[in-house]
């Protein structure tokens, strides 16, 4: 209708044809491609009708051929414009729809995300609260478990040695047969005392006594097996093996006697020690204990019963291993089993006391042999009578008794002498030997000059004894200290410097505590790893001395550098020459001399001259300070 009116009214219809593009484009955009094309077709038809009916109104000049060519072209472009714009509109509408849909989805997801965030926030807050509560519960449970664990460990440690507990936990404790040393002790006079005082006082005093003895036994690596009233059973060399278990047991026994005396207890202690092969392990069903069983245990208990108060009695195997470090004497052979004839036992005791003064008295040996025959102990009788005949071959009564003992042995059967023995050799330990009395390493004249020096040492001997017992070097610290003091005197050091050198020599090896015990008496050379471990002991010695309250810097420097070498090849810092403290150079030479001239489980001691030659050679090649070597040579040469 609009097209018809427009074509009818407007005079210049050809010029107005381009106007039709505007509604068609708008129709394509707003109404869509189909309607735009339809509208364009209708417009073209309507214009075509007017062109046919009124050609003059379109082409006044009369050029109708051009008009008929122009109108189709115009119509085609009009239809094309409607189609293109409509298609573009549809595509744009699709894109807009997609964008709108995506926006809606995004909005929905945003809402969902917000909801999830809110839920997560709430869950996080609840989770944090629950985690906090659970953590508190776990911490409470952990504290409860730790408390129970502590109580269990305290209970175990109160009833068992810590090494036993650790080996049980680690599954390393085995039932086995091993060589070890067993110590028994008890108090003479404790039973009458306990009957005369209130029970609470008895328990208090007994606990105080045991509390004083425990540190001594533990310092020498003893395993306290059990307390039997006032008695103690302790093993050395089990459950952890120590090569020097006999020596550690004997030194511990001497220190126990010394401590009991120093604390003025109203009792006297008896100690029996035996060593040999025993069976060790956990015994018991629900209630178990780590202990040792065997003849050695029985023998140690027997020696303790026969030991005089304030004494230490050991068997022959223990004595042979420790005799180079302790003073003692052989006592009479003691019966393995319980004594039945106490009168004859007292008679034997008196005869042996006399024999100790006159060892080759044939009559005394004859009387001892007769007593053993009366006790039905032909093996012991035979040995003493044989000694009597060697001392006096013409002793008639000894010959007769010897024949009687021989007949009794034949009657008892042809079994080994060892199998027939009813007594064992017992030795009484009286104390540790003075290491300065060893004439093999210290000449008599020098020993006399140094006799007062150990009294100048202000550091307790118990600081070094456990380490020395573990490495079988009893007396090493005293000899090194005394020789260092003597060398310092020869070199003209002041009194203060000599005292520092004395104490440095005494504690120079205190750090050996950290060296594993299997390396202390190692046969052969160390591996590089083992030697690195050994090289740490000077620094450890300084740390231990500081922890014990020793803060003298000159003393600590000497201990730290006592293994440095004049040529810089020592340890721990590789110092050389004058950079090494003079006292440390002195201690190094004294330590080497005593190490060479002392017995070790791995070798025999060197002769004094050989040791001096070795040290002089070390001085010549730069190992030791030549001035210090010359001073030692002057003292001992």
């Amino acid at each position: 209708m609009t097209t018809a009116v427009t074509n009818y009214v407007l005079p210049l219809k050809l010029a107005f044809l381009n106007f039709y593009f505007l509604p068609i484009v708008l129709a394509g955009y707003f109404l869509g491609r189909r309607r735009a094309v339809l509208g364009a077709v209708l417009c073209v038809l309507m214009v075509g009708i007017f062109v046919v009916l009124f050609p003059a109104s379109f082409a006044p000049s009369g050029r109708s051929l051009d008009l008929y060519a122009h109108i189709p072209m115009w119509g085609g472009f009009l239809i094309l414009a409607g189609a293109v714009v409509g298609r573009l509109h549809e595509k744009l509408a699709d894109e807009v729809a997609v964008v709108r849909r995506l926006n809606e989805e995004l909005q929905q997801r945003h809402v969902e995300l917000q909801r999830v965030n809110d839920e997560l926030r709430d869950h996080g807050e609840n989770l944090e609260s629950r985690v906090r509560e659970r953590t508190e519960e776990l911490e409470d449970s952990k504290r409860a478990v730790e408390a129970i664990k502590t109580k269990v460990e305290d209970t175990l440690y109160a009833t068992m040695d810590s090494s036993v507990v650790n080996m049980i936990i680690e599954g390393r404790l085995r039932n086995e047969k091993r060589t070890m040393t067993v110590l028994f002790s008890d108090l003479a006079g404790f039973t009458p005392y306990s009957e005369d005082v209130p029970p609470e006082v008895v328990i208090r005093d007994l606990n105080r006594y045991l509390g004083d003895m425990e540190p001594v036994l533990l310092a020498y690596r003893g395993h306290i097996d059990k307390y039997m009233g006032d008695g103690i059973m302790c093993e050395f060399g089990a459950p952890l093996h120590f090569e020097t278990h006999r020596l550690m047991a004997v030194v511990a026994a001497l220190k126990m006697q010394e401590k009991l005396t120093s604390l003025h207890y109203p009792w006297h202690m008896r100690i029996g020690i035996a060593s040999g092969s025993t069976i060790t392990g956990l015994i018991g069903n629900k209630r178990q204990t780590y202990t040792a069983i065997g003849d050695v245990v029985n023998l140690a208990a027997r020696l303790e019963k026969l030991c005089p108060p304030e004494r230490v009695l050991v068997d022959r195997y223990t004595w042979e291993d420790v005799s180079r470090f302790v003073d003692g004497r052989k006592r009479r052979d003691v019966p393995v089993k319980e004594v039945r004839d106490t009168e004859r036992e007292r008679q034997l005791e008196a005869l042996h006391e006399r024999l100790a003064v006159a060892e080759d008295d044939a009559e005394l040996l004859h009387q001892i042999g007769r007593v053993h025959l009366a006790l039905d102990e032909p093996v012991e009788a035979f040995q003493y009578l044989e000694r009597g005949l060697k001392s006096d071959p013409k002793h008639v009564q000894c010959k007769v008794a010897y024949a009687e003992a021989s007949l009794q042995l034949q009657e008892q059967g042809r079994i080994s002498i060892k199998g027939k023995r009813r007594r064992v050799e017992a030795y009484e330990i009286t104390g540790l030997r003075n290491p300065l009395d060893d004439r093999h390493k210290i000449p008599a004249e020098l020993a006399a000059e140094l006799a007062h020096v150990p009294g100048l040492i202000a550091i307790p001997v118990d600081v070094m004894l456990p380490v020395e017992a573990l490495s079988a070097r009893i007396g090493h610290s005293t000899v090194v200290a005394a020789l260092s003091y003597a060398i310092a005197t020869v070199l003209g050091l002041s009194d203060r410097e000599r005292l520092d050198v004395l104490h440095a020599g005494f504690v120079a090896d205190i750090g050996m505590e950290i060296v594993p015990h299997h390396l202390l008496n190692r046969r052969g050379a160390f591996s590089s790893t083992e030697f690195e471990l050994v090289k740490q002991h000077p620094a450890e010695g300084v740390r231990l001395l500081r922890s014990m309250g020793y803060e003298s810097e000159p003393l600590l420097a000497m201990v730290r550098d006592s293994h440095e070498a004049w040529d810089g090849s020592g340890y721990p810092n590789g110092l050389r020459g004058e950079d090494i403290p003079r006292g440390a150079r002195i201690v190094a030479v004294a330590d080497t001399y005593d190490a060479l001239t002392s017995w070790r489980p791995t070798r025999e001691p060197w002769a004094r001259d050989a040791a001096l030659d070795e040290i002089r050679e070390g001085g010549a090649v730069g190992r030791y300070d030549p001035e210090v070597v010359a001073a030692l040579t002057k003292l001992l040469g």
Side-chain angles (χ1 to χ4, degrees):
M1 182 62 69
T2 302
T3 304
V5 172
T6 301
N7 285 315
Y8 181 78
V9 174
L10 294 176
L12 298 175
K13 298 176 179 61
L14 186 61
F16 197 73
L17 288 178
N18 291 331
F19 170 76
Y20 289 99
F21 281 96
L22 179 61
I24 294 302
V25 169
L26 293 175
Y29 182 79
F30 289 104
L31 300 179
R33 180 179 58 177
R34 183 178 179 183
R35 292 183 179 182
V37 170
L38 181 59
V41 170
L42 291 175
C43 288
V44 171
L45 289 176
M46 188 60 68
V47 170
I49 292 172
F50 271 91
V51 169
V52 173
L53 295 177
F54 307 103
S57 61
F58 287 91
S61 59
R63 297 176 63 181
S64 56
L65 185 60
D66 293 338
L67 176 62
Y68 291 133
H70 179 76
I71 292 302
M73 291 178 62
W74 166 82
F77 280 112
L78 184 64
I79 294 171
L80 181 61
V84 170
V85 172
R87 176 58 185 158
L88 289 176
H89 172 70
E90 289 176 355
K91 188 174 182 180
L92 181 62
D94 292 340
E95 294 291 338
V96 171
V98 170
V99 172
R100 184 180 297 111
R101 187 174 65 255
L102 290 175
N103 284 335
E104 291 174 355
E105 292 178 359
L106 183 61
Q107 186 66 27
Q108 291 177 355
R109 292 183 180 181
H110 177 73
V111 173
E112 183 69 19
L113 182 61
Q114 187 65 35
R115 183 183 63 79
V116 172
N117 284 337
D118 293 340
E119 291 179 356
L120 286 175
R121 187 182 303 107
D122 295 339
H123 182 72
E125 293 175 356
N126 295 333
L127 179 62
E128 184 178 355
S129 176
R130 288 196 296 270
V131 168
R132 189 183 305 110
E133 293 175 358
R134 183 58 178 163
T135 302
E136 292 176 356
E137 292 176 1
L138 290 175
E139 288 178 351
D140 291 340
S141 299
K142 181 181 178 182
R143 283 192 291 269
V145 170
E146 289 293 336
I148 294 174
K149 179 183 176 184
T150 301
K151 290 181 180 179
V152 171
E153 288 180 347
D154 291 343
T155 302
L156 285 174
Y157 289 145
T159 56
M160 287 186 180
D161 187 271
S162 60
S163 59
V164 174
V165 174
N166 293 332
M167 292 178 73
I168 291 175
I169 294 173
E170 297 169 4
R172 296 189 295 114
L173 192 65
R174 297 178 298 174
N175 300 327
E176 58 186 338
K177 194 170 186 178
R178 66 161 59 194
T179 300
M180 57 183 290
T181 301
V182 181
L183 178 150
F184 275 87
S185 73
D186 80 339
L187 298 175
F190 183 81
T191 301
Y193 167 83
S194 63
E195 294 173 351
D196 296 335
V197 298
E200 61 274 12
V201 176
V202 173
I203 297 300
R204 181 201 66 190
D205 291 348
L206 183 59
N207 284 332
R208 184 166 65 91
Y209 155 73
L210 295 175
D212 289 330
M213 295 301 109
E214 280 181 9
V216 178
L217 292 169
L218 296 178
Y220 293 92
R221 274 73 170 182
H223 165 245
I224 300 175
D225 189 311
K226 60 177 68 72
Y227 297 123
M228 302 162 290
D230 60 305
I232 301 173
M233 176 182 174
C234 184
E235 294 102 24
F236 295 81
L240 299 177
H241 176 70
F242 296 99
E243 191 71 27
T244 57
H245 54 87
R246 294 184 179 93
L247 181 59
M248 290 191 291
V250 170
V251 177
L254 292 173
K255 301 310 290 185
M256 289 171 68
Q257 292 284 21
E258 180 182 306
K259 191 162 191 177
L260 187 73
T261 302
S262 66
L263 295 176
H264 306 291
Y265 279 99
W267 320 296
H268 300 295
M269 186 189 299
R270 296 186 295 250
I271 299 179
I273 297 174
S275 59
S277 180
T278 66
I279 296 174
T280 62
L282 285 173
I283 62 171
N285 186 12
K286 291 185 177 180
R287 182 178 179 181
Q288 295 184 318
T289 182
Y290 181 83
T291 190
I293 56 177
D295 290 341
V296 171
V297 178
N298 299 331
L299 177 57
R302 185 74 186 132
L303 289 171
E304 178 264 311
K305 294 294 183 185
L306 297 171
C307 181
E310 300 182 293
R311 296 290 187 269
V312 177
L313 211 58
V314 304
D315 69 331
R316 178 170 62 87
Y317 298 108
T318 304
W319 168 257
E320 290 175 350
D321 198 52
V322 305
S323 58
R324 60 176 51 86
F325 300 109
V326 299
D327 291 322
R329 63 188 181 93
K330 184 180 183 302
R331 294 182 58 86
R332 67 181 178 89
D333 294 351
V334 296
V336 176
K337 297 183 179 180
E338 193 68 31
V339 175
R340 295 182 179 179
D341 194 335
T342 56
E343 180 61 32
R344 284 195 170 89
E345 287 295 330
R346 283 195 292 268
Q347 186 179 354
L348 275 178
E349 183 73 29
L351 289 171
H352 275 281
E353 291 290 340
R354 294 167 58 190
L355 186 64
V357 180
E359 295 183 356
D360 296 326
D361 190 317
E363 180 57 29
L364 284 176
L365 292 168
H366 165 253
Q367 293 180 29
I368 293 173
R370 280 292 183 185
V371 175
H372 281 298
L373 283 174
L375 291 170
D376 194 24
E377 296 172 351
V379 174
E380 287 76 8
F382 185 87
Q383 291 176 341
Y384 282 103
L385 293 169
E386 187 176 42
R387 284 178 57 189
L389 287 176
K390 288 181 179 179
S391 177
D392 184 3
K394 297 181 180 181
H395 197 291
V396 177
Q397 293 177 321
C398 197
K399 289 181 179 180
V400 174
Y402 182 81
E404 292 179 13
S406 299
L407 289 174
Q408 284 192 24
L409 284 176
Q410 291 177 4
E411 290 174 0
Q412 290 184 3
R414 296 182 177 277
I415 58 177
S416 66
I417 294 290
K418 182 179 179 181
K420 295 179 182 179
R421 286 189 63 86
R422 300 181 183 179
R423 293 176 179 265
V424 295
E425 297 176 68
Y427 294 81
E428 181 183 308
I429 306 295
T430 57
L432 293 174
R433 287 187 176 179
N434 183 352
L436 297 180
D437 289 341
D438 186 353
R439 295 296 165 262
H440 170 76
K441 66 174 71 172
I442 307 292
E445 184 178 346
L446 178 59
E449 295 177 4
L450 298 178
H452 71 288
V453 173
L456 301 176
I457 301 174
I459 300 173
V461 68
D462 291 335
V463 170
M464 295 302 301
L465 258 183
V467 179
E468 293 184 341
L470 184 62
S471 57
R473 299 189 302 166
I474 298 293
H476 174 74
S477 58
T478 300
V479 173
V480 173
L483 285 177
S484 298
Y485 185 85
I487 294 172
T489 302
V490 172
L491 295 177
L493 273 65
S494 66
D495 291 345
R496 177 69 265 173
E497 290 173 324
R498 283 189 293 164
L499 285 177
D500 284 341
V501 170
L502 173 71
H503 290 102
F506 186 72
V507 296
D509 285 339
I510 190 173
M512 296 295 284
E513 181 79 20
I514 68 165
V515 179
H517 63 88
H518 67 277
L519 297 181
L520 293 176
N521 296 310
R522 174 71 173 272
R523 297 179 184 274
F526 294 131
S527 67
S528 58
T529 302
E530 292 169 341
F531 189 54
E532 287 300 320
L533 188 60
V534 172
K535 286 163 61 175
Q536 296 176 14
H537 85 266
E540 176 65 13
V542 173
R543 189 194 67 79
L544 287 174
L545 289 171
R546 288 190 187 278
S547 68
M548 291 187 291
Y550 296 99
E551 297 293 342
S552 171
E553 288 303 325
L555 169 65
L556 298 177
M558 292 180 208
V559 172
R560 183 189 63 239
D561 300 331
S562 60
H563 289 272
E564 299 287 0
W566 183 255
D567 60 2
S569 62
Y571 61 87
N573 298 315
L575 302 180
R576 66 170 58 239
E578 298 293 337
D579 292 337
I580 306 171
R582 197 177 193 186
R585 287 178 263 153
I586 293 173
V587 171
V589 171
D591 177 78
T592 302
Y593 174 77
D594 184 69
L596 291 174
T597 56
S598 297
W599 176 89
R600 293 288 183 268
T602 57
R603 60 167 176 79
E604 293 299 318
W606 287 33
R608 186 195 312 165
D609 292 342
L612 284 174
D613 288 342
E614 179 73 13
I615 292 174
R616 280 194 289 263
E617 183 178 347
V621 299
R623 176 68 181 168
Y624 308 111
D625 182 348
E627 185 183 20
V628 177
V629 173
L632 178 68
T633 303
K634 182 178 179 180
L635 287 170
L636 300 171

